[in-house]
Amino acid sequence: MTTMSSAEPTRRDFLYIATGVVGAVGAAAAVWPLIAQMNPDASTIAAGAPIEVDLAPIAEGQVIKVVWRGNPIFISHRTQKEIEEARAVDVGSLPDPQSDQQRVKQGHDQWLVLVGICTHLGCVPLTRQGDYNGFFCPCHGSHYDTSGRIRRGPAPANLPLPPYEFVADSKIRIG
Amino acid sequence: MSGHSTYQPQSRFMQWFERRLPIVSFMHASFVAYPTPRNLNYWWTFGGILSLMLAIQIVTGIVLAMHYTPHVDHAFVSVETIMRDVNYGWLLRYLHANGASMFFLAAYIHMFRGMYYGSYKDPREVLWILGVILLFLMIATGFMGYVLPWGQMSFWAAKVITSLFGAIPVVGDSIVTWLWGGYSVGNPTLNRFYSLHYLLPFVIAGVVILHVWALHEVGQNNPTGVEPKSDKETVPFTPYATVKDSFLMVVFLILLAWFVFYLPNYLGHADNYIPANPLVTPAHIVPEWYYLPFYAILRAIPSKLGGVIALGASIVILAFLPWLDTSRVRSAAYRPLYRQFFWIFVLVCIGLGWLGAKPAEGGYVIAARFLTAWYFLHFLVILPILGLIEKPKPLPNSISEAVLREGVPIGAPAPAPSGTKH
Ligand code: HEM
Ligand code: FES
């Protein structure tokens, strides 16, 4: 549409490009809130605040589920046998190499705290099942061991650990 | 859209109107005078059936929306209220739920028709790609609709399918949180799915208009794959196509009615009558039957990212079909080798569907891997090579010649009843 076809950029060319750029920035600024509104809202974030869990009532060999941020958190009071099983494996041979020590808090070896969401596509695994007596996801057959590490199946990673800390000897704060 | 209109407004009002908005002559040119090849068979009626199904889904959906509540605490109960208390609510919901199944059935038949007769080839590539976009939109719409009743299957379908995006490296987790509007599938997820489930069918309707526009620009293909050469080889849309379409629509509606009235839950899952529970996954989760082949492909790949890529590729590859098929001959009727591979491909798709419903273990996984490989090889290897090595049968010079060869005299009063011959 420019009337001049000289090779030299003209003032009009400059104005076209400048207008286009301002228009694009404006459009991006307008789209931003439309996209950002889909992220978690303030109330959802507030409801995701830390929770405290008393571990005293959990018997050895028992696994309980608590809910944090809408997701199940597994708290497993592991038996000595389970801990030994978890530590007997050669870490290098694991699909997602991590030692059992890295997955528990020091001095609290019996307590395994996990996000109970299969790292494959998000199902909730069954506890104390599967080929490794840890967790088994029925959706597409992922087997996790007594440390919640992936051993077999389509899941790419170990069961994630939520952020948590011991506030007392038998009390944890998740979040 | 092509097709010369013979429409002449009679009344003074219609003449006045025609000069201001020529929509009546436009509709006349598109759906009355529009020339259709005289040898179309019943496989060509599924486009009309699909339009009808879209209309049925929109009408029943809008009515359901008057009674449905998109909230995690009320959604399940509101659907049960529709089933038990709302006048004819059971009928509307069963029509909508089974209508979705029939919609997909018609779409798959429609697509296999296109593959058999080479309807995606020059000059119908854009028409075909619009069809692939429609399939994709239908998949998205059906998935989000299935989440709405907020039963166990609804919840876990939402969870598994949204988690697919988590496979994307680096940004995957942020995308999933963004899709959920929270840290897990919850009320914000349900709300947005409802909004989009209401929106997408109208987007589909818009793309259908483009699809029909493209169709009327290039004209319909036909069982010979040879373009009509003269007016003698076409018949006007109305009454010929209208009546043929209407007849099969009625047959198809009988099938829908049979499911609605006799087997309303046959295609669904009993677990979806259990309210959603984010802490317990049902022992055996499977998608609706119409997603099973894709689900089988997802599970066949022993890696998360790989499975997601294969799933997406299995749909995207359809859009490239016009260029992957190197044969210049359209119709499988004249391609002896392709015809066999076409039927093998149909069986592979059905096989994948069957495997998608089986647990992912042992022999099922091996079979699913084999069929997944075949699915892609069909497009990437078999089709390109077939076009080069296959010796097609001699093509008829015209539709008339092909029809005459079948022993039906040209110029007979009714269009040749070729539908029964395929
Ligand atoms: C492309 C067309 C459509 C398809 C394929 C489709 C598919 C579905 C499916 C599969 C369900 C789940 C049915 C069940 O198991 O209960 C559903 C539910 C629902 N749909 Fe649609 N739908 C379509 C159009 C619409 C439209 C236009 C609306 C209008 C708002 C709508 C509103 C609803 C509502 C309110 C529900 C929840 C009630 C129920 O579960 O029956 N749908 N849809
Ligand atoms: S979601 Fe657990 S194996 Fe797929």
Side-chain angles (χ1 to χ4, degrees), chain A residues 118 120-123 137 139-142 154:
Chain A
C118 179
H120 181 225
L121 294 173
C123 291
C137 181
C139 286
H140 318 101
S142 288

